[in-house]
Amino acid sequence: MDITTVQIQESRLRQDLLDLARFGEDQGRGITRTALNDADLAARQWFKERMRETGLKVYEDAAANLIGRMDSTVGPTDGPCIATGSHIDTVAQGGKFDGALGICASLEALRAIRESGLSLPCPLELLVFTDEEGSHFAGTFGSRAMFNLLQEGEMEKSRGTGMTNLAQDLKRMGKDPQKIGQGVRSPSEFRAFLEVHIEQGPVLESMGIPIGIVEGIVHLGRYLVRVEGKTGHAGTTPMHLREDALVKAAGIITTVNEAILSAGPEIVGTIGELRVHPGIINVIPGEVEMALDLRSVQEATLASVKKKIVEIVHSTDKAKIETIITKGGVKMDPGIMEAIELSCRQRGIPFHRLWSGAGHDAMTFPTQHIPTGMIFIPCVGGKSHCPDEAIRFEDAATGAQVLADTLVRMAFKAEQ
Ligand code: GLV
Ligand code: MN
Ligand code: MN
């Protein structure tokens, strides 16, 4: 069997990426296609059509994940599949390629496999996940819902007063959040999961290498800090009689940042979300909600920094910290890494093995003992989660080609 008979087309992939990037264009400030907002709903309709055109059977599950299935023409139609995909949502004012590259590369790979006329011995699935970014609460919602990994009451939670939650947004699109369990699948339905993604960091670009083979994904912890103060008039309350929640929060931010820095380069942490209540120019802030994101390759480092942060928060009057979620800390499957490497070698494509500092739906599958792999391509300047996230389309095409070749390789290997 000659895997190189499967040939993806860069021009088609490029067009899909550019078409998808029109959904959520935010007045020159990047793409705001946060999960289940109007732009996301429109993008999903568009993507469902592209999947149907590709000859896939299209379903939408209870968590609003999109599933496009290509049955085997020679094997059992209900046998376990090899799945590929990523997410369609973006962070607010994010880039055009985080998530989008994975779903468009998967679509192009399946299109190319179909056109090649190869008869694969197992089904393939294209998975488009809901709320990977965590615009509502904890992130990787769709992939965790698929394996019954949601936390109790999670769909009713949001990170801040005034934000919508997933239950509300699922209802808005006509779904019943009570029926979320109907989308749960057995791990035995999957032989493997493979995700293509932009690296979101500078390593591949700095090395001039087009393909990254991901070895693992870091440990990640997300926390919500609430600080209470006393609201009041900004003009009449003397400074020494105030209890300003934002001033207290500012102290926490600075001390937490110092604690993370002093733990060394193995850990990164960010407080990137702050809600000040009531958030009015002439009112003393009465409450602040802020979200902290911590990541490290080393679980022990994350745990010890988290412990320090809890002490910092608790040493501030009327401040509390709670865990939103901990996830990640997963290794990719050595057999899949090998298959990706072989696909690169066969076409003379340089590759490099590396860890992912970003979170992905590919973190969920290893927890279900489903062999998982990730293929990275470089992004310009290593930038991501911002409007100037950019790629070279030839790298995207290389990623899609390596994906297509690896899917075929794995399908025939699975048969053996
Ligand atoms: C997802 O993009 C994350 O790593 O936060
Ligand atoms: Mn992503
Ligand atoms: Mn992202």
Side-chain angles (χ1 to χ4, degrees), residues 98 132-133 200 220 222 293 295 358-359 385:
D98 175 359
E132 188 273 348
E133 297 289 4
Q200 306 185 274
L220 191 155
R222 288 184 171 164
D293 178 299
R295 306 185 190 209
H385 280 187

Side-chain angles (χ1 to χ4, degrees), residues 8 95 182 235 293 318 350 357:
I8 71 102
Q182 290 181 353
D293 178 299
K318 292 199 227 162

Side-chain angles (χ1 to χ4, degrees), residues 272-336:
E273 204 171 86
L274 205 67
R275 261 167 268 278
V276 180
H277 301 289
I280 296 168
I281 187 170
N282 53 358
V283 181
I284 299 165
E287 190 194 352
V288 171
E289 295 165 315
M290 51 193 184
L292 162 71
D293 178 299
L294 278 185
R295 306 185 190 209
S296 178
V297 175
Q298 301 299 337
E299 191 171 16
T301 310
L302 195 130
S304 77
V305 172
K306 171 140 188 249
K307 193 163 169 272
K308 262 192 217 151
I309 291 174
V310 169
E311 283 162 17
I312 292 165
V313 172
H314 286 164
S315 68
T316 307
D317 184 38
K318 292 199 227 162
K320 292 190 290 219
I321 181 165
E322 70 188 80
T323 300
I324 295 172
I325 195 164
T326 53
K327 52 187 173 180
V330 294
K331 292 210 170 107
M332 299 293 103
D333 179 72
I336 298 186

Side-chain angles (χ1 to χ4, degrees), residues 184-200:
V184 172
R185 298 178 67 179
S186 160
S188 64
E189 293 180 47
F190 297 93
R191 281 191 197 279
F193 177 68
L194 207 46
E195 179 168 359
V196 173
H197 209 280
I198 54 171
E199 181 202 332
Q200 306 185 274

